[in-house]
Amino acid sequence: MLAELRKEFLYGGRALVRDNALSQRLVRRLRGHELMDDYALKLLGDRLLHRTLQAAIDRLPYYAHIPRDFSPVEARQVLREMFPVIDKTALLDHPRALYPNGGARRPWQVLGKTSGTTGTPLVLIRSLQSVQMEQAFIKRHWSWGGYVDGMPRATLRGDMVAGLEQQAPPFWFENRYNRQLLLSSRHLTDRCIDPIIDKLRGYAPAMMQAYPSTAYTLAQQLERRGMALHVPFLFTASEPLYPHQQELIRERLAGRIMDMYGMAERVALATQCEYGSLHLNTDYSHVEILDEYGEPTNGYGHVVGTTLHNLAMPLVRYRLSDRTRWKPGRCACGRPFPMIEAVTGKLEDRITGGDGAEVSPSVLTFAFKGVENIRKSQVAQVGPGLWELRLVPDANFSQVDVDKLLHNIRALVDATVQVRVVLRDELPNTAAGKFRWVVNEWEDGRRA
Ligand SMILES: [Zn+2]
């Protein structure tokens, strides 16, 4: 009962921040950008970039030496010539120079925390306005699938809506404040799946949000039962969406998949349209694709992004481990946003939990919820139902952090898996220079 009340407060409170009249105005404004021509969109980008760079120079000691007397039309050039490319390591190494107010949060600012798929936790400071803008951008993408506020939607992501040990329905929570059915992605098991399928069928959502891996697991369960659900649009995010997943999802779960590429640092957003193209939202952030020498390239390169909305902690020329390249031409949908190829670079193996069922990397990140003092981590499957958690600790690391990690795994990820924690000085990258956060070293457990 108490747990139910807590959910009411949590989701009711979220609805107040995210779904008010202001947010609807923001979505309308963003939809207007879709009708702009290239020149108008470039002017808008110049103006927003200029605002970001001015804020960075004013607020972050790292950029204090850069002269601020340049105009919006000069902003792109100043960015390239005066602002160095930074990455997550730079943020961790120079907190006083790259965080505002020496890293202290103001009461009206929001803290974003991430364990990230590279395995190093990171804290970010966000303005309330940027949090509202984020939601407006997501809703603009939803509108590409005909979805507007008030239609029923289902969510199959990492939300804790039923305890891991729970074996009887409900394995879901109905958020009345914005007609959302939150389903437990940890109960897509043979034992619990039938009531979940029935519930979804009855709820008839206009769209569904899911991780690619959770949608795929549900599609597999439907296939095993010779069943299909016909959700009009599936919005996926947070993980790579593999072709074998798309095929089965389209066959069993949802007619159209609209994938989204984003990250906790919020320096790039690409959204898939009705024609399957991945459009880079140039009114969300300024994105460069740079080669290994930091030069712009039309070939594959790293995504380097600059926020246009979070002025509380402007991330400027922030390089991600993700790689892609520009796709020339215009999309049949007519939107002015440029296209990119599918994003690669998140290297992950498949691993299984205590009961032999696959555990999604996105669910795994919950192990690190609220855990600090870790420089880098890696989750390795080393045997049946046995994981090794490899950590590169920082100076303040203690047993408290270990206990929190183990508690999180029991409560939020998998109640029966055996975990051993190992401290390391360094976690090496692969020969190709990429870091694999999730690895399966138990040969027998690997599946194609
Ligand atoms: Zn398009």
Side-chain angles (χ1 to χ4, degrees), residues 144 271-279 330-335 337 339:
W144 295 7
T271 46
Q272 199 174 21
C273 75
E274 316 85 296
Y275 291 83
S277 304
L278 198 53
H279 289 277
R330 288 198 84 93
C331 181
C333 75
R335 294 186 182 90
F337 307 120
M339 296 179 283

Side-chain angles (χ1 to χ4, degrees), residues 231-395:
V231 180
F233 287 90
L234 177 74
F235 286 86
T236 53
S238 310
E239 289 171 5
L241 173 65
Y242 299 107
H244 71 279
Q245 296 173 325
Q246 294 192 42
E247 202 176 307
L248 190 68
I249 289 169
R250 282 207 198 92
E251 194 181 303
R252 296 288 166 178
L253 180 59
R256 211 161 242 176
I257 306 175
M258 310 278 275
D259 196 30
M260 185 192 99
Y261 163 68
M263 71 296 306
E265 292 92 335
R266 299 184 174 175
V267 293
L269 177 69
T271 46
Q272 199 174 21
C273 75
E274 316 85 296
Y275 291 83
S277 304
L278 198 53
H279 289 277
L280 196 83
N281 291 205
T282 47
D283 49 354
Y284 176 91
S285 68
H286 177 77
V287 167
E288 304 163 87
I289 297 177
L290 303 181
D291 65 19
E292 56 194 301
Y293 307 105
E295 296 298 323
T297 175
N298 285 324
Y300 279 93
H302 282 288
V303 178
V304 176
T306 299
T307 182
L308 296 179
H309 298 286
N310 185 17
L311 303 184
M313 177 181 170
L315 285 179
V316 178
R317 300 196 93 193
Y318 185 88
R319 184 178 54 214
L320 300 154
S321 58
D322 307 323
R323 292 165 62 81
T324 185
R325 70 171 173 189
W326 298 108
K327 194 174 170 182
R330 288 198 84 93
C331 181
C333 75
R335 294 186 182 90
F337 307 120
M339 296 179 283
I340 56 172
E341 303 277 358
V343 178
T344 61
K346 294 192 170 83
L347 289 182
E348 286 147 358
D349 278 354
R350 298 175 184 204
I351 65 168
T352 51
D355 58 359
E358 190 171 328
V359 177
S360 135
S362 302
V363 169
L364 259 184
T365 63
F366 281 78
F368 295 86
K369 208 177 158 81
V371 180
E372 289 170 24
N373 306 318
I374 295 171
R375 291 283 297 196
K376 204 169 181 182
S377 66
Q378 186 174 54
V379 184
Q381 177 140 36
V382 291
L386 179 62
W387 296 347
E388 191 170 276
L389 216 56
R390 295 162 187 164
L391 310 174
V392 179
D394 75 10

Side-chain angles (χ1 to χ4, degrees), residues 28-99:
R28 272 201 300 279
R29 196 209 295 168
L30 292 182
R31 295 213 68 181
H33 296 171
E34 294 178 32
L35 306 171
M36 285 180 165
D37 60 25
D38 292 349
Y39 183 66
L41 198 60
K42 182 193 171 296
L43 285 186
L44 173 71
D46 287 348
R47 188 167 59 75
L48 293 173
L49 182 62
H50 180 260
R51 190 179 67 159
T52 291
L53 299 186
Q54 296 283 321
I57 294 168
D58 290 346
R59 287 174 197 172
L60 305 178
Y62 200 76
Y63 305 113
H65 65 282
I66 299 174
R68 64 195 307 291
D69 58 335
F70 57 91
S71 66
V73 288
E74 295 168 309
R76 285 167 212 253
Q77 191 190 345
V78 169
L79 178 79
R80 278 194 305 271
E81 292 176 0
M82 306 295 285
F83 287 80
V85 173
I86 63 163
D87 58 12
K88 187 184 263 190
T89 308
L91 279 185
L92 292 167
D93 288 347
H94 307 286
R96 279 190 184 76
L98 282 166
Y99 283 75

